[in-house]
Amino acid sequence: MTELSKEQQTEFEAAAFRRLVRHLRERTDVQNIDMMNLAGFCRNCLSNWYRDAANEAGVALDKEASREIVYGMSYEEWRERYQREASGAQKAAFEVNRPKE
């Protein structure tokens, strides 16, 4: 395995994150509930993780600002443009697969 410096690792992780965010912005057909049901996380989770990292570093970032970073627009605008009503099957699958706290 190739040894990476801490700086390289951080740089590559940041590049992968940017690519993931770009991919999710392009795939507006993929609903958050589908992501949750299949992968156990969604765009909102990703924005929460981003906000948590900022807050842990002493940078105040609110929920809406972190969502805008991930969605590329306000959450409300994304919902109006792209979110569809979840089907009964999607909702049932979510109840089974939802993160356990």
Side-chain angles (χ1 to χ4, degrees):
M1 186 168 144
T2 303
E3 288 292 321
L4 300 175
S5 70
K6 185 65 175 161
E7 292 78 21
Q8 287 174 313
Q9 182 178 347
T10 299
E11 178 183 338
F12 299 157
E13 288 168 350
F17 173 80
R18 288 189 298 270
R19 189 170 180 178
L20 173 60
V21 168
R22 186 172 57 246
H23 181 76
L24 292 175
R25 286 179 182 177
E26 292 170 0
R27 290 299 310 269
T28 56
D29 59 310
V30 178
Q31 298 293 295
N32 282 335
I33 195 165
D34 295 324
M35 292 177 63
M36 287 297 297
N37 287 340
L38 292 172
F41 82 100
C42 69
R43 292 170 183 89
N44 291 333
C45 298
L46 192 59
S47 70
N48 290 340
W49 300 337
Y50 190 97
R51 186 182 74 241
D52 291 345
N55 291 338
E56 286 172 16
V59 177
L61 190 65
D62 67 24
K63 184 176 181 177
E64 290 308 314
S66 66
R67 283 185 172 183
E68 193 163 328
I69 289 165
V70 171
Y71 285 92
M73 62 186 73
S74 74
Y75 180 59
E76 281 304 313
E77 183 178 352
W78 192 91
R79 287 181 61 197
E80 288 173 15
R81 285 186 183 190
Y82 304 113
Q83 187 167 314
R84 298 183 308 273
E85 179 66 32
S87 70
Q90 287 171 314
K91 290 176 185 178
F94 180 75
E95 289 307 314
V96 171
N97 297 310
R98 76 179 320 143
K100 312 298 187 263
E101 295 189 58

